[in-house]
């Protein structure tokens, strides 16, 4: 058989541009990950040395490398172009990319990083679910529901009414801004609580349960105001559907835990290759996340529910250890990306168009903080509980507030000053919450152990002391 060199060389030349483009996308993604991990590690270490939770340093690191400062990590959905990205300029210089090719690589690279960030927050919520005790969450279920309802109704009503009365904002735009005030970032709050060792405290469980319910209520509120913005009327059927599907999903996940646990362990014990525990666990988590997204809920709720289910199995401690290194790789991408997308340019009062936004922002920030702090007062039947800590734990809006803002901005009903005000509210509540949580939650007190107990259990550095310290709260 004779080889046709002309045909062969033509086919190689025809595929070269596509191959080069893919390789450039991979190169751009790798450079972005280098920037993200450096920002995450440097920021986290610096924050930790100052006595703050590392997640705050990751967010600040994201701001520094993002659109507000160094322009190393920028995204097209924020209005950035490839020419404004220092990473893309570096690639153009070193790889000889044309401006057109650079634009395409920039868009694809941004999409990949955004997907990795979403995957990071899904794994974060799965990990948090593994650390949360389902029985403890159910024990505070009624109180968490009350906290969530107060935390949604209070800021939504106060924000919407205040914008309409004091600033003359049109009703639908005010409703969207009020909806953004209802959000609570379960990802940020749960990460900080985990770092502080307070996730399994009574306050931590109420905050976590309320944040989950808050997300469900927030989705329903968003559906209502999005329907209003679209055609001026509320799609009642859709609202009823969201309420029923959210309730059924969460109750179904809890019921599944009682049936699925033994089957999961039985399957895992028959597997002999690497990843025999963590791979089936992630399959289950991703299926649950998909189901949540498919019924128009948040994927993170599905991942959290999966973690709650697997927390009940005999393999939970071993699974927690195996999930940690995977979370360490993907979760920082989420937090750095949230910071990188935050544009602090809206804080500049020298720009006349920002001044109206600054005034509205002050109002929204006050409502955003007080509207969540009062939720702690709604906790009943608990004499020795830190109500201020519960209220503070509900403050951060984070990525959830940005989702609300993005949907509102895409409809075109939000004015530029109101957009700027919502962005500032999201920024400050996100960055204030971690240090405030650190302040309102006291340092865990070590448990004293007698000499006889030391002889039985070993040294005071055994995990027993740590577990007693957490469970004793």
């Amino acid at each position: 058989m004779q080889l046709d060199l002309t045909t062969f060389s033509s086919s190689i030349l025809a595929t070269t541009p596509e191959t080069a483009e893919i390789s450039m996308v991979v190169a751009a993604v790798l450079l972005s990950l280098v920037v993200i991990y450096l920002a995450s590690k440097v920021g986290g270490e610096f924050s930790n040395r100052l006595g703050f939770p590392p997640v705050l340093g990751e967010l600040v690191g994201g701001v520094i490398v993002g659109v507000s400062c160094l322009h190393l990590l920028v995204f097209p959905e924020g209005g950035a172009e490839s020419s404004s990205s220092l990473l893309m300029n570096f690639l153009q210089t070193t790889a000889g990319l044309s401006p057109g090719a650079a634009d395409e690589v920039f868009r694809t690279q941004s999409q990949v990083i955004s997907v990795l960030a979403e995957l990071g927050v899904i794994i974060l919520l799965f990990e948090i679910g593994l650390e949360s005790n389902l029985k403890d969450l159910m024990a505070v279920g009624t109180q968490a529901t009350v906290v969530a309802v107060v935390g949604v109704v209070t800021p939504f009503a106060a924000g919407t009414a205040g914008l309409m009365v004091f600033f003359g904002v049109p009703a639908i735009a005010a409703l969207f801004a009020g909806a953004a005030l209802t959000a609570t970032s379960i990802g940020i709050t749960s990460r900080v609580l985990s770092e502080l060792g307070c996730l399994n405290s009574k306050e931590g469980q109420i905050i976590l349960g309320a944040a989950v319910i808050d997300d469900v209520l927030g989705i329903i509120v968003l559906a209502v105001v999005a329907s209003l913005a679209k055609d001026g009327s509320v799609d009642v059927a859709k609202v009823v559907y969201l309420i029923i599907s959210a309730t059924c999903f969460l109750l179904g996940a809890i019921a599944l835990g009682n049936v699925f646990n033994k089957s999961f362990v039985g399957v895992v014990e028959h597997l002999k290759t690497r990843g025999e525990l963590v791979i089936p666990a992630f399959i289950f988590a991703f299926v649950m996340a998909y189901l949540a997204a498919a019924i128009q809920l948040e994927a993170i709720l599905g991942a959290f529910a999966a973690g709650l289910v697997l927390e009940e199995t005999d393999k939970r401690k071993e699974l927690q250890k195996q999930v940690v290194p995977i979370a360490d790789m993907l979760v920082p991408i989420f937090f750095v990306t949230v910071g990188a997308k935050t544009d602090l340019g809206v804080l500049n009062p020298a720009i006349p168009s920002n001044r109206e936004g600054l005034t509205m922002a002050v109002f929204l920030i006050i409502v955003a903080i007080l509207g969540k702090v009062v939720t702690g007062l709604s906790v009943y039947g608990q004499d020795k509980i830190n109500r201020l800590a519960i209220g503070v734990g509900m403050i951060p809006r984070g990525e959830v507030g940005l989702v609300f803002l993005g949907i509102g901005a895409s409809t075109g009903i939000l004015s530029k000053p109101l957009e700027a005000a919502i962005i500032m509210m999201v920024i400050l509540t996100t960055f204030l919450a971690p240090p405030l949580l650190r302040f309102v939650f006291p340092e865990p007190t070590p448990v004293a152990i007698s000499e006889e107990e030391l002889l039985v259990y070993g040294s005071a550095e055994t995990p027993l002391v740590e577990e007693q310290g957490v469970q004793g709260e």
Side-chain angles (χ1 to χ4, degrees):
M1 182 177 177
Q2 198 171 17
L3 179 65
D4 187 340
L5 293 177
T6 306
T7 305
F8 178 75
S9 60
S10 297
S11 64
I12 290 292
L13 290 172
T15 57
T16 300
E18 184 181 350
T19 307
E21 186 180 332
I22 292 172
S23 67
M24 286 300 100
V25 170
V26 172
V29 169
L30 291 174
L31 283 175
S32 299
L33 290 176
V34 168
V35 170
I36 287 170
Y37 289 136
L38 276 174
S40 160
K41 185 49 66 180
V42 173
E45 289 291 331
F46 189 68
S47 180
N48 187 58
R49 290 173 191 272
L50 291 177
F52 294 116
V55 63
L56 181 60
E58 292 176 3
L59 287 167
V60 173
V63 169
I64 291 172
V65 300
V67 67
S68 296
C69 195
L70 297 180
H71 286 261
L72 286 167
L73 190 67
V74 294
F75 296 85
E77 57 265 32
E81 298 178 354
S82 62
S83 57
S84 64
S85 168
L86 290 184
L87 283 183
M88 294 312 303
N89 289 335
F90 178 77
L91 270 179
Q92 279 187 270
T93 304
T94 55
L97 280 178
S98 66
D103 290 340
E104 188 61 35
V105 170
F106 174 61
R107 283 192 295 270
T108 308
Q109 167 259 342
S110 299
Q111 290 172 350
V112 172
I113 295 298
S114 295
V115 168
L116 289 175
E118 288 299 315
L119 188 57
V121 75
I122 287 171
I123 289 175
L124 169 63
L125 266 295
F126 177 58
E127 183 183 25
I128 294 300
L130 284 172
E131 294 176 7
S132 305
N133 188 282
L134 183 57
K135 293 184 178 66
D136 291 343
L137 274 180
M138 292 177 69
V140 299
T142 307
Q143 292 171 334
T145 302
V146 172
V147 169
V149 171
V150 173
V152 167
V153 172
T154 305
F156 178 71
T160 302
L163 287 172
M164 292 174 66
V165 173
F166 300 126
F167 299 97
V169 175
I172 296 180
L175 284 169
F176 247 111
L181 290 168
T182 66
T184 294
S185 174
I186 185 174
I188 291 171
T189 296
S190 56
R191 171 74 175 269
V192 175
L193 288 173
S194 180
E195 289 170 351
L196 293 177
C198 299
L199 192 63
N200 286 322
S201 66
K202 180 72 74 174
E203 293 87 351
Q205 291 298 295
I206 291 175
I207 292 169
L208 196 59
V212 172
I213 299 166
D214 192 292
D215 264 0
V216 176
L217 295 176
I219 292 165
I220 295 167
V221 171
L222 182 60
V224 173
V225 295
S227 298
L228 276 171
K230 185 178 179 182
D231 49 25
S233 62
V234 179
D235 187 346
V236 179
K238 185 175 183 181
V239 174
V240 172
Y241 166 77
L242 285 171
I243 295 172
I244 294 173
S245 61
T247 305
C248 292
F249 181 81
L250 292 174
L251 293 178
I254 291 170
L256 178 65
N258 299 323
V259 180
F260 182 74
N261 293 337
K262 292 181 180 178
S263 303
F264 177 81
V265 173
V267 169
V268 164
E269 287 178 345
H270 282 85
L271 301 177
K272 302 300 177 187
T273 54
R274 284 180 57 174
E276 71 278 5
L277 175 60
V278 73
I279 297 299
F282 274 125
I283 290 172
F284 177 60
F286 292 160
V287 167
M288 291 289 284
Y290 163 75
L291 290 175
I295 59 175
Q296 298 179 36
L297 298 175
E298 291 289 335
I300 57 176
L301 291 181
F304 178 74
L308 284 179
V309 170
L310 294 184
E311 192 275 337
E312 295 290 307
T313 67
D314 298 335
K315 299 281 187 180
R316 69 178 178 84
K317 288 188 177 179
E318 186 182 348
L319 181 57
Q320 284 174 358
K321 291 178 183 177
Q322 293 187 21
V323 168
V324 166
I326 301 171
D328 287 344
M329 288 295 293
L330 289 170
V331 174
I333 302 175
F334 165 68
F335 287 106
V336 173
T337 300
V338 170
K341 291 180 177 179
T342 302
D343 185 4
L344 295 183
V346 298
L347 297 172
N348 184 5
I351 301 174
S353 60
N354 286 348
R355 291 171 192 166
E356 185 185 358
L358 283 168
T359 310
M360 284 194 288
V362 172
F363 169 75
L364 290 182
I365 290 164
I366 292 171
V367 172
I369 293 174
L370 295 182
K372 292 294 186 179
V373 169
V374 297
T375 61
L377 302 177
S378 64
V379 178
Y380 61 93
Q382 300 285 336
D383 295 329
K384 296 179 180 180
I385 198 164
N386 192 338
R387 288 177 169 80
L388 179 60
I390 291 171
V392 169
M394 300 294 289
I395 286 176
R397 269 55 175 192
E399 76 290 348
V400 185
L402 293 175
V403 168
F404 278 65
L405 171 65
I407 294 173
S410 66
T411 62
I413 64 170
L414 298 179
S415 65
K416 289 296 179 185
L418 185 55
E419 280 188 32
I422 296 173
I423 290 173
M424 289 177 61
M425 178 274 295
V426 172
I427 291 170
L428 287 182
T429 56
T430 299
F431 286 116
L432 281 175
L436 284 178
L437 277 170
R438 184 86 177 192
F439 178 74
V440 297
F441 272 107
E443 292 289 334
T445 350
V447 179
I449 294 184
S450 65
E451 291 183 8
E452 291 79 7
E453 288 174 318
L454 285 175
L455 290 174
V456 175
Y457 296 115
S459 73
E461 295 179 356
T462 58
L464 176 68
V465 178
E466 207 172 291
E467 287 181 12
Q468 286 180 338
V470 174
Q471 298 298 332
E473 291 180 355

